[in-house]
Amino acid sequence: MYQFLALASQIVLAAGDEGEQVKEGGSEAIVPGITSGVLVEWAWLIVVVPIVAAFVIAFWGKKMPFKGWEAAWGAIGFVGLYGTVLFVLNASQGILYEGTVEIAEIGDFTLEWGWMVDGLSIMMYFLIGVVGFLVFTYAKGYMKGDIRFTWFFASFSLFAGGMLVLVSAPNLIQLIVGWELVGVSSYLLIAHYWEDYANVDAGNKAFMVNKVADAALFLGAIIMAVSVGSFSFNDVIDVVVKGEEGMLSQYAFWAGLLIFIGAMGKSAQFPLHVWLPDAMAGPTPVSALMHAATMVTAGVFLLGRLFPFYIDEAGIFAGDVRNIIIVIGGLTLFLAGLLAIVQNDIKKVLAYSTVSQLGYMVAAMGAGAYTAGLFHLFTHAFFKGLLFLGAGSVIHAVHSNNMSDMGGLRKKMPITFWTFIAGTLALIGIFPFAGFFSKDEILASMKFAGENGQDVANFILILGIAGAFITAFYMTRLVALTFFGTYKGHATPHESPKMMSYPLIGLAFFAVTAGWINFPGVYTGFTTWLATRVPLTGMGDHHAEGLDWSLVLIVTPVVLIGVAIGWWLYGKDKKSQAARDTFRIPVLWPLFENLYYIDDFYMNGIVRPTMGPIANVVLWWDRNVVDGIVNGVGLGSLGVAKAVRVFDQNVVDGFYNEIGAGVDELGSGMRKSFTGRVQQYAAFSFVGVVVIAVLFIIL
Amino acid sequence: METVSFADWFKEAANWAFILIALPTLFGAWRTVTSNNIVRAVLYLVVSLAGTAAMFLMLGAAFVGLTVVLVYIGAVVILFLIGIMITRAPLGMEAELSHGRDVKVPAALLSVVLFAVIAWAMVDAFGMYMIQPFEPTLTSDLANTLFDRFVLPFEVVSFVLLAALIGGIAIARKDDEGGNR
Amino acid sequence: MTIIQFLLVGAALFSMGLYGVITRRNAVLVLASVELMLAAVNINLVSFDAYLQDQLNSGQIFSLFIIALAAAEVGIGIAIVLMIYRNRQSADVDELNLMKG
């Protein structure tokens, strides 16, 4: 304990110095302290252990005492522990290591499997491990009694492994493998309650929408790899940092755009966000870990991996794509936030909130703010995960997702209530909770980008501030309808068991404190920790010397006004003492409730035509053309077979029959010489002897 | 190899003795195969075999010649006579002991051709080579060789004789079921 | 003495024996003709033995074997002729044509 404090103080002092070195214009590249050794060379265990656990649970889970949960929990706990160790060491000394194993060589391409251990991936290991550990603990209580308990944890472990494959990837191929793994796990877990067909549809929807984006990702990755000659991130970033004109700069715009579209799918950006709210059909732990904390952040992570490509100092790469990125991020954060206002399902509110926050992260990347976007990813994982688990706790207690069945739970579920408040304050962005620092940094970087050439960033900044207001508004509504007023449901709610509430407390701790590791002007350790690989010199990754007070003074009141209005509209009705949900704006509310009709557009414009006419055309083709060819080949074969039979019976058999007949006649002929008279035989043999003798003599 | 001319051959006394022996031998053989009287045929065989025994003596193979007399004439011919008697062969001149002309002519032809081939080959190979003067073979030498170098064939032949003995008994045994034992 | 005189005698005996084997109808006489052939062979062997002056006298030894085996063969042959006579009341070889066809 002492040593930890000593270490921590050293970190603070050391990073404090570096914080002062850093001025506007980016951070120095950090010289890593650890580049080899057992700790990093064996880091592949982080990736492999959960996958192995998944298989172990799948095959032997039912026979284990805790039905497989212990294997999953142990595996994710191992990841959490390892990740924490790496995180702390990275903070104190800096780690940079890339371990690879060559799998195959195909022409000029070398296929490698590897595990990166640098600032970005260490952050993700820590996140996945710690949040995953708490969620898995929670899940044991939440999924109790479920008939597919074992399979749930097998899939969940597989997801954890897949996500780790993704974040540890040193090249695009492994990243795509991890991408697809988490996609599959997502599908499996969303459709966990597949007895209800709607849940299966939700899983399909998630998979299909992601597939559309994945097509773009593949194309983009291929363009990038062919241009550079390698799939490895190191090689791509080398080319970018050197600023070489070449194939990559020629196709950079398309590669960057296509890869971003792939990221849009996974990170639920407009208009590919439609799957995320439907994904709430899955069990709440799934929603907490996958669809809030980790899987959906994969798109932001990918942008972070390729960040030099997008920040494009040389001006010849994908710098133009950033405008597209920031616009889409901005639209997403604003429009999704609006949709969260009208939802009745508590998980749907949080889902749209997640989409909105992802929009913040993406917009930050678009503005060129590497640290801000990833920092928000970091803090969001904790408080959004907390909010989801809290919602799950509430759902578990009242047996309903709808907020109309809730109310007044604050007295009956105190732990849930207070941790939920902590998460809400973090999300809204109230000092000193985590979200304040990360959101503030995003807005500050947008302002900086707007001042330094990216004009559209100014507009997005306004959207971001409006988004803060909307966030405060819908979260207040949610809290009011759920925890205040009188209880309108029919069950007897009570606090959740310890296994479910302790993780809430753990996450609440992080929701409160996580922001303090990147307090501009006081301590910006997180910035340096992330920078051990990507040399961010002069990359516009703007860090202020201190908080941007002008922004704080605008945003905080906006947020507080949002809370106030929300409370006024949705809080206790003085007369009935019940929370009411009666506020509606005529034209807008129906638009929101119908989700801007985007889902309907997809369904009627794309899905139904494919299922109907296109499917019929394909069926006709298959039945008549393809089957026709197959039948034709079959009939042809029959004809050939008949010809062969004729040939065989007449020619071939005839030949052999003739031979047989010939032998028969020969035999009959020879039979005549078998007189049975030995003397005759003797005579003939002596004739033969004479002949041979003559031959011998002559020859 | 030393040769002798055809004329000189007739000057040697031993050769006249040879002719005196060879002619009965050939005549005996001729009558064996053409005689119509079965007993006389077998007895002409005796003449032939005696002639061969004399020729062996001329060649210094005393033991072999005496063995021929003892075994062939003494036992084999007796067996022939036994066989003739037991099978109640028609005795007397009217018996048809040979096949008809349709067999005799080709057989004669074959025999002549065979003789011609062999004779021609031998004359071509050996011409008038002389046999060098030699000592008559000692029976003791013969015995030494037989039981030294050729003891294995000797044993084998004794087995064969045993088998023939037993086989003969087995074949010709009189029984009640009509010859299937 | 030349060797050829003995060899010719042997050849003549052999041919006549062959003539007898083919021609004769009585089984016993066929066996007698075979004896002639064997005697001819013996003459050949012994004359070569003298001609080559073999130290081992292997020609004579071999002819001894032939004599012994010929005797055994005749013994068996007569026994067989006896059996055939018992079965068929005849020693005519023309009637021994069960292997015909």
Side-chain angles (χ1 to χ4, degrees):
Chain A
M1 194 59 194
Y2 261 11
Q3 287 155 330
F4 180 70
L5 283 176
L7 192 63
S9 53
Q10 264 189 341
I11 294 172
V12 170
L13 291 172
D17 291 337
E18 290 181 55
E20 279 179 28
Q21 267 177 8
V22 171
K23 305 278 181 191
E24 289 186 25
S27 59
E28 304 276 321
I30 306 302
V31 176
I34 299 179
T35 50
S36 64
V38 172
L39 189 67
V40 292
E41 280 164 26
W42 283 76
W44 52 267
L45 280 174
I46 295 183
V47 177
V48 167
V49 164
I51 297 185
V52 167
F55 280 101
V56 165
I57 299 171
F59 285 114
W60 295 289
K62 294 229 169 90
K63 298 176 198 152
M64 294 161 84
F66 284 98
K67 296 242 177 277
W69 171 80
E70 63 270 65
W73 192 69
I76 199 79
F78 171 79
V79 171
L81 198 64
Y82 211 125
T84 310
V85 167
L86 286 173
F87 194 74
V88 169
L89 282 175
N90 184 42
S92 61
Q93 297 174 33
I95 304 180
L96 179 59
Y97 177 79
E98 183 177 327
T100 50
V101 171
E102 190 177 300
I103 296 182
E105 232 180 82
I106 307 169
D108 288 335
F109 280 96
T110 318
L111 182 63
E112 286 178 332
W113 188 266
W115 59 100
M116 301 248 352
V117 189
D118 68 328
L120 182 54
S121 46
I122 289 176
M123 177 190 89
M124 293 305 291
Y125 295 152
F126 176 74
L127 207 60
I128 297 167
V130 170
V131 176
F133 179 75
L134 293 169
V135 170
F136 273 51
T137 313
Y138 178 93
K140 179 173 184 297
Y142 190 83
M143 300 300 290
K144 184 170 161 184
D146 190 286
I147 52 174
R148 283 187 289 277
F149 186 89
T150 306
W151 176 247
F152 173 82
F153 279 101
S155 306
F156 222 9
S157 260
L158 180 67
F159 158 74
M163 191 71 203
L164 289 162
V165 165
L166 201 161
V167 302
S168 66
N171 57 47
L172 276 164
I173 294 194
Q174 186 176 333
L175 184 132
I176 290 178
V177 168
W179 198 273
E180 296 302 321
L181 266 175
V182 298
V184 162
S185 321
S186 172
Y187 163 76
L188 288 173
L189 288 164
I190 292 174
H192 181 79
Y193 301 118
W194 46 254
E195 285 87 358
D196 187 348
Y197 199 72
N199 299 332
V200 176
D201 273 348
N204 278 337
K205 189 169 173 180
F207 199 73
M208 290 299 158
V209 173
N210 267 294
K211 219 15 103 190
V212 170
D214 287 351
L217 175 63
F218 291 168
L219 269 176
I222 290 173
I223 293 177
M224 180 176 272
V226 170
S227 309
V228 172
S230 156
F231 280 96
S232 163
F233 287 123
N234 274 340
D235 294 339
V236 170
I237 291 180
D238 269 346
V239 170
V240 169
V241 166
K242 283 186 205 149
E244 297 168 354
E245 289 260 358
M247 225 173 139
L248 184 61
S249 56
Q250 237 183 321
Y251 295 109
F253 177 77
W254 292 106
L257 179 63
L258 288 169
I259 290 181
F260 172 62
I261 295 177
M264 272 169 70
K266 210 42 124 213
S267 291
Q269 299 298 299
F270 232 72
L272 295 174
H273 66 286
V274 293
W275 64 273
L276 189 53
D278 283 32
M280 296 299 117
T284 308
V286 169
S287 309
L289 184 60
M290 295 176 76
H291 303 129
T294 46
M295 189 185 98
V296 293
T297 57
V300 180
F301 172 83
L302 177 60
L303 292 176
R305 265 277 181 250
L306 288 171
F307 195 70
F309 187 63
Y310 286 103
I311 198 70
D312 189 18
E313 291 202 323
I316 52 174
F317 295 106
D320 294 332
V321 184
R322 270 199 294 131
N323 286 333
I324 301 177
I325 297 178
I326 197 173
V327 165
I328 295 212
L331 282 176
T332 304
L333 74 89
F334 183 69
L335 296 173
L338 289 174
L339 290 178
I341 302 175
V342 302
Q343 301 299 320
N344 279 320
D345 183 330
I346 190 174
K347 282 176 72 174
K348 288 248 167 79
V349 176
L350 294 174
Y352 282 107
S353 171
T354 306
V355 175
S356 173
Q357 299 303 309
L358 288 167
Y360 272 100
M361 296 179 219
V362 167
M365 292 307 217
Y370 178 74
T371 308
L374 290 170
F375 189 46
H376 198 57
L377 192 161
F378 188 72
T379 55
H380 174 265
F382 293 115
F383 56 70
K384 196 45 76 60
L386 167 63
L387 288 172
F388 266 107
L389 291 188
S393 193
V394 167
I395 293 171
H396 189 75
V398 304
H399 300 296
S400 160
N401 281 21
N402 266 317
M403 292 196 286
S404 47
D405 291 335
M406 301 175 190
L409 294 175
R410 125 179 103 101
K411 297 269 170 54
K412 303 201 170 93
M413 306 176 68
I415 301 181
T416 306
F417 173 66
W418 285 110
T419 53
F420 203 91
I421 292 290
T424 305
L425 290 175
L427 171 58
I428 298 177
I430 302 283
F431 184 88
F433 289 86
F436 168 78
F437 296 99
S438 54
K439 202 175 280 190
D440 177 76
E441 193 151 333
I442 291 181
L443 295 172
S445 56
M446 282 193 211
K447 180 160 167 248
F448 179 78
E451 287 163 5
N452 286 337
Q454 199 172 8
D455 295 327
V456 70
N458 289 319
F459 177 62
I460 305 297
L461 174 65
I462 297 174
L463 280 182
I465 299 176
F469 171 81
I470 298 170
T471 306
F473 186 69
Y474 65 68
M475 284 312 291
T476 311
R477 171 175 176 264
L478 190 152
V479 168
L481 289 177
T482 306
F483 292 104
F484 289 88
T486 53
Y487 180 57
K488 290 175 280 184
H490 304 286
T492 44
H494 54 87
E495 186 56 83
S496 304
K498 290 202 199 74
M499 196 138 263
M500 283 167 66
S501 16
Y502 282 7
L504 290 176
I505 298 173
L507 283 173
F509 167 76
F510 284 110
V512 170
T513 61
W516 303 344
I517 58 173
N518 204 37
F519 196 154
V522 174
Y523 173 67
T524 52
F526 191 78
T527 311
T528 53
W529 303 344
L530 273 190
T532 52
R533 188 172 167 276
V534 177
L536 293 171
T537 313
M539 274 203 190
D541 191 26
H542 164 70
H543 306 279
E545 291 161 39
L547 285 177
D548 189 335
W549 288 109
S550 53
L551 259 186
V552 171
L553 287 174
I554 296 177
V555 173
T556 309
V558 163
V559 166
L560 291 173
I561 293 172
V563 172
I565 297 180
W567 184 253
W568 176 62
L569 286 174
Y570 296 107
K572 273 199 267 204
D573 184 346
K574 293 235 165 34
K575 289 188 207 153
S576 63
Q577 298 295 320
R580 63 221 159 145
D581 187 11
T582 53
F583 176 68
R584 283 176 74 85
I585 299 178
V587 171
L588 289 178
W589 254 234
L591 182 65
F592 296 157
E593 278 160 9
N594 285 311
L595 312 172
Y596 305 116
Y597 298 103
I598 294 183
D599 273 291
D600 295 325
F601 168 69
Y602 283 153
M603 194 62 174
N604 293 323
I606 298 177
V607 177
R608 289 251 164 76
T610 307
M611 283 168 68
I614 296 179
N616 282 331
V617 168
V618 174
L619 181 66
W620 176 89
W621 176 263
D622 188 53
R623 281 233 183 98
N624 297 325
V625 178
V626 176
D627 278 358
I629 293 175
V630 173
N631 290 342
V633 170
L635 286 169
S637 301
L638 267 177
V640 169
K642 278 195 194 131
V644 170
R645 181 191 68 181
V646 166
F647 181 75
D648 188 52
Q649 277 177 346
N650 297 331
V651 176
V652 177
D653 280 358
F655 177 65
Y656 286 112
N657 289 342
E658 284 306 306
I659 290 183
V663 170
D664 209 22
E665 281 168 24
L666 186 66
S668 302
M670 286 186 74
R671 203 210 240 177
K672 293 197 191 110
S673 69
F674 297 149
T675 55
R677 288 168 21 205
V678 181
Q679 291 165 315
Q680 199 170 306
Y681 300 162
F684 277 116
S685 45
F686 271 102
V687 168
V689 167
V690 168
V691 168
I692 289 175
V694 167
L695 283 172
F696 262 114
I697 292 171
I698 294 180
L699 301 172
Chain B
M1 282 284 124
E2 219 179 290
T3 61
V4 68
S5 67
F6 196 68
D8 288 337
W9 186 78
F10 284 99
K11 290 199 183 116
E12 250 191 78
N15 292 340
W16 281 104
F18 172 77
I19 290 177
L20 268 176
I21 293 173
L23 283 176
T25 309
L26 291 169
F27 178 70
W30 165 253
R31 291 305 293 160
T32 303
V33 295
T34 57
S35 171
N36 274 328
N37 187 327
I38 194 167
V39 177
R40 288 196 190 175
V42 174
L43 293 175
Y44 279 122
L45 179 64
V46 172
V47 169
S48 206
L49 289 171
T52 63
M55 279 195 246
F56 287 153
L57 287 170
M58 282 185 73
L59 286 167
F63 183 73
V64 179
L66 293 174
T67 307
V68 165
V69 173
L70 282 173
V71 173
Y72 264 146
I73 302 173
V76 171
V77 172
I78 304 299
L79 272 176
F80 282 136
L81 292 170
I82 292 176
I84 289 170
M85 286 196 287
I86 292 191
T87 60
R88 307 233 179 98
L91 309 169
M93 297 285 286
E94 66 279 10
E96 289 240 347
L97 292 177
S98 299
H99 285 116
R101 274 280 177 82
D102 56 335
V103 174
K104 276 197 195 160
V105 169
L109 190 63
L110 175 63
S111 297
V112 168
V113 167
L114 183 65
F115 175 74
V117 168
I118 295 175
W120 187 86
M122 286 196 280
V123 168
D124 191 49
F126 294 103
M128 293 291 279
Y129 290 155
M130 278 185 48
I131 299 177
Q132 299 303 312
F134 54 86
E135 292 290 320
T137 314
L138 290 175
T139 306
S140 60
D141 283 340
L142 207 58
N144 280 336
T145 314
L146 181 63
F147 290 106
D148 179 2
R149 228 9 234 286
F150 295 103
V151 66
L152 184 59
F154 177 78
E155 295 294 335
V156 171
V157 167
S158 49
F159 263 115
V160 172
L161 288 171
L162 178 66
L165 181 68
I166 297 174
I169 296 173
I171 289 173
R173 182 157 51 153
K174 218 180 186 134
D175 50 40
D176 301 315
E177 279 99 347
N180 281 332
R181 293 288 293 268
Chain C
M1 294 186 287
T2 58
I3 185 167
I4 193 70
Q5 64 207 44
F6 292 99
L7 296 181
L8 285 173
V9 169
L13 281 177
F14 190 81
S15 312
M16 285 190 270
L18 177 63
Y19 176 79
V21 165
I22 294 174
T23 310
R24 288 308 209 175
R25 276 175 72 173
N26 192 306
V28 178
L29 288 177
V30 171
L31 285 170
S33 308
V34 172
E35 286 304 311
L36 263 184
M37 291 163 84
L38 290 171
V41 168
N42 280 344
I43 291 184
N44 256 31
L45 280 169
V46 173
S47 48
F48 271 116
D49 178 71
Y51 176 70
L52 296 171
Q53 297 193 329
D54 189 358
Q55 290 287 350
L56 287 175
N57 291 313
S58 43
Q60 295 180 29
I61 303 245
F62 197 42
S63 77
L64 283 177
F65 288 137
I66 290 179
I67 292 167
L69 290 173
E73 169 229 331
V74 167
I76 297 288
I78 294 293
I80 291 174
V81 170
L82 284 175
M83 291 309 296
I84 291 171
Y85 180 74
R86 263 196 220 152
N87 271 313
R88 301 183 152 272
Q89 308 306 318
S90 161
D92 190 336
V93 299
D94 280 344
E95 304 202 358
L96 305 175
N97 60 358
L98 284 176
M99 292 288 279
K100 181 180 173 140

